[in-house]
Amino acid sequence: MPTVEVADLKDGDFLLDVREDEEWQAGHAAGALHIPMSEFVARYGELTGAAPQDGRVNVICRSGARSAQVTNHLVQQGIDAVNVAGGMQMWEAAGRPVVTDEGVPGFVA
């Protein structure tokens, strides 16, 4: 499965967060698109409408397990997608900002 390290992501890279609502509300990467894995099939059109046409979709969850499943699905659909290794836990550990919807510092739940 295609994977990317948090350190290799640049500001402005497209990020799809597939964690559930409670996890997202605790804290997330600013600018990420949030579509919970449990709603992914029903909301797939939101991703195709928001994702860059010629760019990569970086998929993230808490630890990398759920995002790996979504990444595999996207790759099967012909989308350039990669799993973010270590998920939001690694994102936070790398010192990347974690914010709430209000823009204040959050945490990874």
Side-chain angles (χ1 to χ4, degrees):
M1 169 195 352
T3 304
V4 66
E5 299 295 326
V6 168
D8 295 328
L9 293 172
K10 298 172 189 63
D11 289 343
D13 283 349
F14 186 81
L15 192 63
L16 170 64
D17 190 324
V18 297
R19 295 175 302 145
E20 295 304 313
D21 288 337
E22 312 80 48
E23 295 170 289
W24 170 267
Q25 290 166 3
H28 53 269
L33 174 65
H34 179 228
I35 302 177
M37 184 175 159
S38 62
E39 301 173 14
F40 188 75
V41 173
R43 295 176 57 189
Y44 182 74
E46 290 178 45
L47 171 64
T48 58
Q53 296 303 311
D54 296 326
R56 184 173 70 185
V57 175
N58 300 286
V59 188
I60 198 165
C61 67
R62 183 173 186 266
S63 65
R66 288 172 285 178
S67 53
Q69 294 176 41
V70 172
T71 298
N72 280 333
H73 175 74
L74 292 173
V75 168
Q76 290 173 357
Q77 304 306 312
I79 294 175
D80 181 10
V82 294
N83 186 34
V84 178
M88 285 298 296
Q89 291 175 321
M90 188 60 68
W91 179 277
E92 186 177 48
R96 296 281 186 115
V98 178
V99 298
T100 67
D101 284 338
E102 291 75 34
V104 298
F107 63 95
V108 176

